[in-house]
Amino acid sequence: MSQRTFSIIKPDAVRKGFTGAILAEIEKAGFQIVSIKKQSISKKEAEGFYAVHSARPFFDSLTTFMSSGPIVLMVLEKENAIADLRNLMGATNPANAEEGTIRKKFAGSIEENAIHGSDAPETAAFEIGYWFAGHELV
């Protein structure tokens, strides 16, 4: 059965011109793009999105980074979408990511790691709803 997940191409990858190449990797892996938009977000929007991490020491630098430039927000769909996207992305730290993964190819550091993907069905539901209105999900 088909499953939806949420993903962000982060400001570092957009800034470096990797958006098209990352989208190509996602489509090559069999994902359907349900909805996609490029926008800049405020620090306050980033803080709301990453509220689950608000007590962590990296929260301020993460939300500052995520609001530092345009990002690409996506709802993706395929069978086993959440796990498959996480495998395609690779380890959070690109130094530990497997060859061929998005982070190995396009990420510069553990913080500027090119892409975000939901880690569970509940997270995906929250993240999709945070950025996309129902009418945007065709």
Side-chain angles (χ1 to χ4, degrees), residues 14-103:
V14 173
R15 205 171 6 258
K16 293 173 184 168
F18 294 149
T19 302
I22 291 172
L23 289 172
E25 296 282 332
I26 289 168
E27 288 193 313
K28 190 170 71 181
F31 289 90
Q32 298 299 312
I33 298 172
V34 175
S35 196
I36 184 169
K37 57 187 173 183
K38 181 179 180 180
Q39 69 184 57
S40 293
I41 63 170
S42 68
K43 183 156 170 66
K44 192 161 201 60
E45 287 172 314
E47 288 168 350
F49 181 72
Y50 287 108
V52 66
H53 297 305
S54 61
R56 308 286 286 275
F58 58 80
F59 182 71
D60 183 62
S61 65
L62 172 64
T63 55
T64 298
F65 163 64
M66 289 302 291
S67 57
S68 70
I71 58 176
V72 177
L73 304 157
M74 297 173 281
V75 179
L76 305 172
E77 187 173 84
K78 76 177 286 228
E79 221 170 285
N80 207 32
I82 294 168
D84 285 2
L85 181 63
R86 294 193 65 79
N87 288 334
L88 180 63
M89 292 187 326
T92 304
N93 184 345
N96 301 333
E98 287 185 37
E99 287 301 325
T101 62
I102 289 172
R103 288 182 173 146

Side-chain angles (χ1 to χ4, degrees), residues 3-8 48-53 56 62 73-76 81-83 85-86 89 103 116-132 137:
Q3 180 184 56
R4 286 185 174 177
T5 191
F6 174 80
S7 185
I8 300 173
F49 181 72
Y50 287 108
V52 66
H53 297 305
R56 308 286 286 275
L62 172 64
L73 304 157
M74 297 173 281
V75 179
L76 305 172
I82 294 168
L85 181 63
R86 294 193 65 79
M89 292 187 326
R103 288 182 173 146
H116 162 87
S118 302
D119 61 3
E122 308 75 43
T123 315
F126 165 77
E127 292 177 343
I128 290 168
Y130 192 87
W131 297 112
F132 289 90
L137 304 173

